[in-house]
Every structure is written in C-alpha cells, then in structure tokens.
Amino acid sequence: MSIAMRMSAYPLAEVIEVTSEGTASIDLMDIPAGTLIEKVLSRTKTAAVHSGAVTFTVGDDDNSAAFLAAADATAAASTIYGDIVAEQGTSMKETVTDSAGTNTHSQPVAGKLYSTAGKEVKFKMNAVPATSEGVYQVMVIGKRYDV
C-alpha cells in the first residue's frame, strides 16, 4: 500500500471577547476550510444586567446553538459554560437511548468538521438586557488541516 499524500493537522485555539448587542447575531470568527471545532467554551467577563432571564447561544450559520446551548447571560463574572455536556450545543453532543429504549442521556461527540469555507462562529442573545450588555470571552478549540 502506498501513501499518496500526507497532511498535517494544526491546533486551533481562539479566544474572542464579545460585548452583546441586544438580540443581534454577532460574527465572532470566520471558519476556514479544513477546520474541526471540537469544543466551545464561554467565560463571563462582565454579566449582563437584566431583571428576568436572559441567555445567549454560540453557534454557526446553520444553527445558532450548535456549540453552546442557552447560557445564563447574567451569571457571575468568571462563570464558564460549555465545560459539561448539558451546556453544550447540538453539534457538540448526541442523545443516546439504551437498548430497552427507556433511558436517554447525552454524550459528547468529536465536534463539527467544516470542509469548505463560508461559515462563521456566531454569538446571539435571546433578549435585550434591561440595564447593561454583558462582556464574554468565547474560546473556540479544535484543529485545522491543509486542504
């Protein structure tokens, strides 16, 4: 057996600081072709101030909650989201049912692969904070390979 080509994969680790802008969808980064996003985390730098529940999601052009499900935008500074399966978005986990079909649970998956360019990582709030917008650090972790 001969190997026609050997390609390398490179670590990807980006931290993007974002200030929420009401319910506007904010592009955080372009996703280059040949990118595998394995995990997305968020860290609250300054919490949004709101009298009720306000959450945010991190996703892509296909699904606004692909990477992080509804994270509490009013959580205390230094709160991390995405470090447990329950907080991860739909592209970061799968639901598994036992053989009897009675119990289900979520488990992590390898991530989401982008073989072509043209998509972005996006941040979106579900409501406009009443008093002040929040500031969040979004960490995108994965690998890039040559295409």
Side-chain angles (χ1 to χ4, degrees), residues 59-66 112 114 119-120 122:
D60 61 12
D61 296 281
D62 300 326
N63 180 342
S64 64
K112 186 170 181 180
Y114 297 85
K119 304 281 184 179
E120 295 84 26
K122 297 179 177 286

Side-chain angles (χ1 to χ4, degrees), residues 57-129:
T57 58
V58 178
D60 61 12
D61 296 281
D62 300 326
N63 180 342
S64 64
F67 305 126
L68 282 181
D72 182 359
T74 62
S78 297
T79 299
I80 304 286
Y81 280 100
D83 55 340
I84 61 172
V85 175
E87 299 166 349
Q88 295 169 356
T90 56
S91 292
M92 301 288 101
K93 63 184 176 183
E94 66 182 353
T95 301
V96 179
T97 305
D98 67 9
S99 59
T102 54
N103 297 308
T104 61
H105 70 279
S106 293
Q107 65 185 26
V109 296
K112 186 170 181 180
L113 177 64
Y114 297 85
S115 56
T116 59
K119 304 281 184 179
E120 295 84 26
V121 174
K122 297 179 177 286
F123 175 95
K124 183 157 180 24
M125 298 282 274
N126 78 330
V128 177

